[in-house]
Amino acid sequence: MDYLKPFSADTQAAFFNAEAEMIRFGERAAQLPHAEFLKNTLLAIDAVFAVRMAHDVSLPPVPLIVLSSVAEWRYENDVERCLATTRSMLRLPEEMGEATIEALHYMQALEWISRISKPGFAATPETIVRLNEILLYGINSEEHGHGFRKTYLPYKKGSVPLEIPREIKKLCDFCNGDYFSPLGQASVIHHAFERIVPFDAMIDRTGLLFAFMPMFRRGLFANELMVPICWGASLEREYRRTLKDASRKELTSESHKVYKEQWAAYNARNTSMGVVIANMFLSKVSKLRENWRSCGLKIPANSATDKLLDLFLAIPQLATRHAASCIGKSYGATNEAMRQLVKAGIVKEVAIDNRERVFVCDQSAALIADFVESLEKMGEVASEADE
């Protein structure tokens, strides 16, 4: 496959437009005083729809946000242990357990990609194997995958097993250069990855996050704030499946070019929609922040109260010690600030199993849940219109 074949002028224009929107989003988000706490919230929204791409399940976003934060704080990022031992109101239906773990692993993998994909970083086949392992087992698991697949896929689709290491090495070399625009380069990577099919599991999400590498490295995700690109990808699952299957068929060079263009246009459209959605969410969060800060509270700059108000926008359920670790304040100062927020009616104190107290912010939890629910409804309307 020739990775350097140019896209059409229309497709390139769509890439440039989406990238300009992402840059504007990053600049706007960087000015928000509460941006530092919103990273995992945006990750969780993206994870809900990343899982929805493959499974017909709607995960509630708030438990993902809280579980991810608690696992990092208390369980050394062991999300399985966190999910099994949590005593909070976050227990999910048993049938959602596997999908929840997949979503939490996706969040960990996306954070890992954002940390390593800096200027000067070079992806290798070992990087891609590690990415697939994180999606399968989590960031700190001692379990390891079996590397690239050793067997043929049904109907001989995908690359010949012995050719996979060489093809992935070629794709990594392409990922490490500056070809096309960042989004155009990402589209080529994802399309090629879906054609190669190097693993037996988590192919789609591994290819998607691999494709994000040049976008992070080349500065499209300012401050590592993600736009929920997977929302758009979850809308047209059948169309997406058609494009993926087409990438694995023996096609003429002309038909292959057509499908590659369609895949690229699909990615550009989804990215543009993701920026619109992220901006909508930031606007709603900022409005809630303004409401809280106009209710008569005394909020000294950089105080525990000041920090907690921004933290609760992103994490709607917090124990005092957890909150203190997030905002970098003492337990005593954080506890006193919690009492102030309870008195103001912004949060409420809840006792769990008569052993642990947590503080819950119903307003921010409802905002996040309602926002994701509205996106799901938008997707259903869009799908019905396409039928």
Side-chain angles (χ1 to χ4, degrees):
M1 178 179 176
D2 185 358
Y3 298 143
L4 301 180
K5 284 185 178 179
F7 292 106
S8 68
D10 287 344
T11 299
Q12 291 183 63
F15 285 148
F16 292 141
N17 180 63
E19 288 162 357
E21 291 171 351
M22 292 179 74
I23 291 168
R24 284 193 291 269
F25 167 77
E27 290 175 346
R28 177 196 175 193
Q31 303 302 315
L32 298 176
H34 49 292
E36 63 177 303
F37 298 123
L38 289 176
K39 179 182 172 184
N40 269 16
T41 309
L42 289 168
L43 283 181
I45 293 172
D46 196 52
V48 167
F49 294 102
V51 169
R52 195 178 169 117
M53 283 161 52
H55 306 296
D56 191 17
V57 60
S58 297
L59 291 173
V62 171
L64 294 182
I65 296 165
V66 179
L67 287 167
S68 173
S69 185
V70 171
E72 180 181 5
W73 166 63
R74 182 180 288 177
Y75 298 101
E76 298 181 339
N77 284 307
D78 187 339
V79 295
E80 287 90 343
R81 184 178 167 211
C82 179
L83 188 60
T85 58
T86 182
R87 299 193 303 272
S88 71
M89 299 86 72
L90 298 173
R91 294 193 181 278
L92 296 160
E94 189 173 336
E95 63 271 17
M96 287 188 176
E98 184 176 341
T100 300
I101 292 296
E102 286 186 18
L104 291 167
H105 287 171
Y106 175 85
M107 292 172 69
Q108 290 183 338
L110 187 46
E111 284 190 289
W112 182 73
I113 287 293
S114 73
R115 287 198 303 269
I116 67 172
S117 298
K118 305 297 184 184
F121 170 77
T124 66
E126 290 73 24
T127 308
I128 312 311
V129 170
R130 177 58 181 151
L131 173 60
N132 186 251
E133 288 178 346
I134 294 172
L135 285 164
L136 285 169
Y137 306 120
I139 190 71
N140 286 337
S141 174
E142 295 181 358
E143 293 189 66
H144 296 286
H146 301 293
F148 301 124
R149 62 179 168 84
K150 304 294 193 298
T151 58
Y152 283 93
L153 296 175
Y155 309 109
K156 299 292 181 71
K157 291 183 179 180
S159 294
V160 174
L162 288 176
E163 291 294 313
I164 290 174
R166 181 187 63 81
E167 293 197 38
I168 290 294
K169 173 63 167 61
K170 181 181 177 182
L171 192 56
C172 285
D173 291 342
F174 175 79
C175 176
N176 297 332
D178 291 346
Y179 306 100
F180 306 118
S181 65
L183 186 52
Q185 188 175 358
S187 186
V188 171
I189 292 168
H190 198 183
H191 184 261
F193 193 92
E194 290 292 343
R195 179 188 61 79
I196 297 168
V197 197
F199 298 107
D200 293 316
M202 289 295 171
I203 299 164
D204 199 353
R205 271 165 262 176
T206 305
L208 181 67
L209 295 183
F210 179 21
F212 283 165
M213 283 185 174
M215 297 167 72
F216 277 111
R217 179 174 58 79
R218 298 175 68 181
L220 281 189
F221 296 122
N223 302 308
E224 300 176 1
L225 286 167
M226 277 291 302
V227 296
I229 292 174
C230 290
W231 175 75
S234 73
L235 298 186
E236 303 170 281
R237 282 182 290 182
E238 290 304 318
Y239 179 59
R240 180 186 179 84
R241 191 173 292 115
T242 298
L243 294 179
K244 285 168 58 178
D245 289 345
S247 71
R248 299 170 190 170
K249 294 178 181 178
E250 292 296 330
L251 302 168
T252 66
S253 59
E254 189 59 35
S255 59
H256 183 79
K257 181 179 178 181
V258 170
Y259 279 117
K260 180 183 172 184
E261 284 282 341
Q262 290 179 345
W263 180 262
Y266 172 79
N267 287 337
R269 184 174 70 251
N270 288 344
T271 304
S272 292
M273 290 192 299
V275 178
V276 171
I277 288 164
N279 275 316
M280 288 167 53
F281 179 70
L282 290 187
S283 295
K284 288 177 179 289
V285 171
S286 295
K287 185 175 180 179
L288 180 58
R289 184 179 189 272
E290 291 172 6
N291 290 341
W292 286 352
R293 289 171 180 269
S294 63
C295 66
L297 272 173
K298 289 185 178 180
I299 312 172
N302 202 39
S303 64
T305 303
D306 184 27
K307 292 287 188 179
L308 277 182
L309 283 170
D310 287 342
L311 181 60
F312 271 113
L313 289 170
I315 308 177
Q317 180 176 315
L318 290 157
T320 303
R321 293 192 186 280
H322 181 196
S325 72
C326 290
I327 64 175
K329 300 294 182 181
S330 69
Y331 178 87
T334 304
N335 198 46
E336 177 58 32
M338 286 289 195
R339 284 200 288 266
Q340 294 289 334
L341 297 186
V342 170
K343 187 176 179 180
I346 293 173
V347 302
K348 65 182 180 183
E349 185 176 352
V350 178
I352 300 173
D353 297 344
N354 295 319
R355 297 171 59 189
E356 183 178 13
R357 294 181 309 149
V358 298
F359 295 87
V360 178
C361 181
D362 289 334
Q363 295 176 68
S364 61
L367 185 153
I368 295 166
D370 290 349
F371 183 75
V372 170
E373 184 179 349
S374 70
L375 297 184
E376 292 171 347
K377 290 178 179 177
M378 287 168 63
E380 292 169 1
V381 171
S383 298
E384 290 172 0
D386 290 338
E387 292 176 355

